[in-house]
Amino acid sequence: MTGCCFPVTLDRSRSRRGSSKLCSSKPRRKENYKGPLIVCFGEMMMNLVPTVLRVSLAEAPAYKKFPSGATANVAVGASRLGVSAAFIGKVGNDEFGCMLSDILKQNGVDSSGLVFDDDARTALAFYALKSNGEPEFLFYRNPSADMLLRPHEIDLSLVKKATIFHYGSVSLITEPCRSAHLAAMSMAKVSGCILSYSPNLALPLWPSKEAARQGIMSIWNYADIIKVSVDEVRFLIEGDDPYDDKVIMMKLYHYNVKLLVVTEGERGCRYYTKDFKGWVAGFKVEAVDPTGAGDSFVGGLLSIVAAHNHIYKDEKRLREALDFANACGAVTVTRRGGIPSLPTKDAVLTVMFSCDS
């Protein structure tokens, strides 16, 4: 996809390697983290969202920018909940890339793993929630900087420090980012990190539905924790009942996984471990925009798992963690945008207590 219909002025004279940089020098990595560390690997981008609700992209009178990206959302979400978090990825050495880097820092996320590319732009995604509730996406990646992250650009020493290494599936779509993803994941595995996987369908970015299905499943058996939405389950199991526990256990549960979670929006979530399975009810709120709700859920869950990494053996504590994660998602849907909608712990507890009363 080429071109851009958004009026942004970028100085192309700075787009070549060796030329002057727009962004400040790479930040020094933190040496001492407060408690366990969650390292998130993947994409960070700028979403352009209509300034009015419930219109298509073509009908929008204007757009507002919102920082986003599934795994970046998880990193910021965990940090806002008081847990140490770091992000590994790549953005362009342009105005949007600088802005995204600053947003990570402002939210307390270690951004030392963020790489700037002088030759490719930061990814843009136009997103709208139409009047019928159907989401509409238009991506500008031709290629974008996140697609060009190479294995040698990854700070493996940062990966080794992780208690939890979290990733998605968009970084599996093209090379060289796919190889970078696999290299980081392998290092995390041998370093004893908990591997957390939350695939993101993003079908417009894949060559085909079958390529998406195969790509997402290609690393399925490596994860310790997997979170999927019921819509993603429906896509992956190809026609079987996504609410059937037997189907889930047969097609999606594997011998390495310690916890599999299926989210169902305001209905809550289902969980599966080797020893038990169950369902935790969600929270009913006035929903405005579902963007980032699943990532907020993951950030909330991992913020607790990081401190209790054998939680999958304690059903009572696991249910409490999933209740907290459900509340994180509930707060997020009451606001607009990706990162701006992610809650603090106080906001989450307010929802939990108000719904209990």
Side-chain angles (χ1 to χ4, degrees), residues 187-206:
M187 177 56 71
K189 193 72 172 178
V190 300
S191 299
C193 306
I194 297 170
L195 267 58
S196 167
Y197 183 27
S198 180
N200 179 5
L201 281 185
L203 287 178
L205 300 180
W206 291 88

Side-chain angles (χ1 to χ4, degrees), residues 283 323 350-357:
F283 296 86
D323 191 46
T350 297
V351 167
M352 296 178 75
F353 292 146
S354 64
C355 289
D356 286 341
S357 59

Side-chain angles (χ1 to χ4, degrees), residues 48-55 60-66 127 336:
L48 287 305
V49 181
T51 53
V52 296
L53 295 169
R54 304 292 176 172
V55 298
Y63 297 89
K64 183 177 181 180
K65 61 182 183 294
F66 287 99
Y127 164 75
R336 297 194 74 195

Side-chain angles (χ1 to χ4, degrees), residues 1 47 57 125-128 134-139 200 202 204 291:
M1 190 175 297
N47 279 3
L57 291 176
F126 286 78
Y127 164 75
E134 180 183 345
E136 183 180 18
F137 290 94
L138 188 60
F139 294 95
N200 179 5
T291 305

